[in-house]
């Protein structure tokens, strides 16, 4: 049977960063019918700046494999790469690595929004709703569209404006903040924000799979122009949540929850 990264992600990609396994420069440690996605920093100049040479192998997210094979897959991986560092992993993986001598640290937060419980009450997810209201007062409106509906030069311009507002302004970001894929991708959805008739931002939602079916989305990347009204990013998220809820998807995730494991 031929190996397909995309089909493996569709079958086992039930964590937030699973779809990121499809990004360029990701390598795959194959085990049975799954794999572990990782980057070897020795091959890429940008990665050398992120990861010390003592830990050249950086794993992104959970193993893409059946739960019954996950620990055996991890055991085989750390046997080959004993100095690997693991990022954005779940508690079960973290516990296993800790038992194998890795130091584990939790960093940040991942918000999991159960769509059937999302309502218009200001007491639920107030930051999202207050931000969305601010943008609506400034006559910002949002709708879903295909990526190909807009000129590449305009999308790149907004991306560059957003990058310049970041702590690390390079457009060629990688790993946790990868380059924005300026091409169409299977099952990925986009929402676009307009101020009057002018495009001012967009948000990319990656699918989260369970046994080959989409059950949610991860709001992985946002690009908003520097002059966009306050709350535009929240309005993009809010409108996407309303659409996904209407389709009876189960969850939407945004922001990061990092669990990091390193063995010295």
């Amino acid at each position: 049977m031929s190996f397909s990264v995309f089909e493996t992600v569709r079958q086992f990609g039930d964590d937030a960063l699973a779809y990121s396994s499809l990004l360029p420069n990701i390598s795959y440690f194959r085990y049975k019918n799954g794999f572990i996605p990782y980057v070897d920093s020795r091959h890429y100049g940008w990665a050398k700046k992120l990861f010390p040479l003592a830990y050249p192998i950086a794993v992104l997210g959970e193993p893409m494999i059946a739960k019954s094979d996950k620990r055996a897959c991890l055991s085989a991986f750390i046997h080959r790469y004993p100095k690997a560092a693991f990022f954005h992993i779940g508690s079960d993986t973290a516990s296993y690595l800790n038992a194998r001598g890795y130091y584990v640290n939790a960093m940040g937060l991942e918000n999991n929004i159960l769509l059937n419980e999302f309502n218009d009450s200001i007491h639920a997810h107030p930051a999202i709703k207050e931000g969305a209201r601010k943008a609506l007062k400034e006559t910002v409106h949002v709708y879903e569209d295909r990526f190909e509906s807009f000129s590449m030069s305009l999308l790149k311009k907004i991306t560059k404006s957003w990058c310049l507002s970041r702590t690390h302004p390079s457009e060629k970001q990688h790993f946790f903040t990868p380059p924005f894929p300026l091409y169409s991708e299977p099952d990925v959805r986009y929402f676009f924000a307009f101020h009057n008739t002018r495009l001012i931002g967009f948000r990319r939602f990656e699918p989260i799979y369970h046994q080959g079916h989409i059950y949610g989305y991860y709001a992985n990347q946002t690009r908003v122009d520097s002059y966009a009204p306050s709350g535009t990013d929240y309005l993009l998220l809010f409108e996407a949540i309303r659409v996904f809820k209407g389709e009876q998807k189960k969850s939407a995730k945004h922001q990061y929850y990092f669990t990091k494991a390193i063995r010295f």
Side-chain angles (χ1 to χ4, degrees), residues 198-239:
R198 187 175 187 178
L199 179 65
I200 57 172
F202 50 99
R203 199 154 192 168
R204 175 175 173 268
F205 292 83
E206 296 177 348
I208 301 172
Y209 297 103
H210 180 68
Q211 297 180 352
H213 300 284
I214 299 172
Y215 82 92
Y217 290 93
Y218 177 48
N220 193 0
Q221 292 170 308
T222 304
R223 298 293 184 264
V224 175
D225 212 324
S226 57
Y227 58 77
S230 175
T232 298
D233 53 341
Y234 283 116
L235 183 59
L236 282 161
L237 179 60
F238 182 75
E239 289 300 324

Side-chain angles (χ1 to χ4, degrees), residues 35-152:
F35 64 84
I36 290 178
Y38 71 95
V39 169
D40 188 337
S41 66
R42 293 167 294 189
H43 296 165
Y44 306 104
W46 61 265
K48 291 178 182 178
K49 298 177 182 179
L50 290 176
F51 309 111
L53 292 178
Y55 308 98
I57 305 299
V59 176
L60 179 63
E62 282 285 305
M64 297 291 103
I65 199 166
K67 295 187 186 300
S68 58
D69 292 322
K70 184 168 71 171
R71 293 198 170 194
C73 178
L74 286 166
S75 178
F77 183 85
I78 62 178
H79 178 76
R80 179 175 296 184
Y81 303 113
K83 289 288 187 176
F86 294 77
F87 297 86
H88 203 288
I89 54 178
S91 58
D92 180 66
T93 298
S95 295
Y96 175 77
L97 292 173
N98 185 241
R100 296 292 299 266
Y102 283 74
Y103 291 87
V104 177
N105 185 35
M107 305 166 59
L109 176 69
E110 178 181 276
N111 290 322
N112 186 21
I113 299 172
L114 300 178
L115 299 183
N116 62 343
E117 298 178 3
F118 191 87
N119 55 56
D120 293 332
S121 170
I122 191 61
H123 301 293
H125 311 289
I128 296 175
K129 292 169 183 174
E130 278 298 319
R133 285 194 180 99
K134 288 181 181 179
L136 286 171
K137 287 181 180 179
E138 297 294 329
T139 68
V140 176
H141 59 281
V142 170
Y143 65 82
E144 183 178 10
D145 205 339
R146 292 169 54 84
F147 192 81
E148 300 86 347
S149 299
F150 302 89
S151 71
M152 191 63 67

Side-chain angles (χ1 to χ4, degrees), residues 18 37 85 105 136 173 231 245 248 252:
N105 185 35
L136 286 171
Q173 302 182 62
K245 182 178 180 179
Q248 298 183 334

Side-chain angles (χ1 to χ4, degrees), residues 154-214:
L154 177 57
L155 298 175
K156 287 183 177 180
K157 181 181 178 182
I158 293 173
T159 296
K160 184 175 182 178
S161 175
W162 179 89
C163 287
L164 289 174
S165 69
R166 304 295 96 184
T167 303
H168 301 287
S170 172
E171 296 178 56
K172 297 181 179 179
Q173 302 182 62
H174 293 271
F175 210 59
F176 292 128
T177 52
F180 204 100
L182 296 174
Y183 50 82
S184 184
E185 304 164 279
D187 296 333
V188 172
R189 296 170 69 171
Y190 292 89
F191 287 77
F192 297 86
F194 297 83
H195 190 220
N196 298 321
T197 60
R198 187 175 187 178
L199 179 65
I200 57 172
F202 50 99
R203 199 154 192 168
R204 175 175 173 268
F205 292 83
E206 296 177 348
I208 301 172
Y209 297 103
H210 180 68
Q211 297 180 352
H213 300 284
I214 299 172

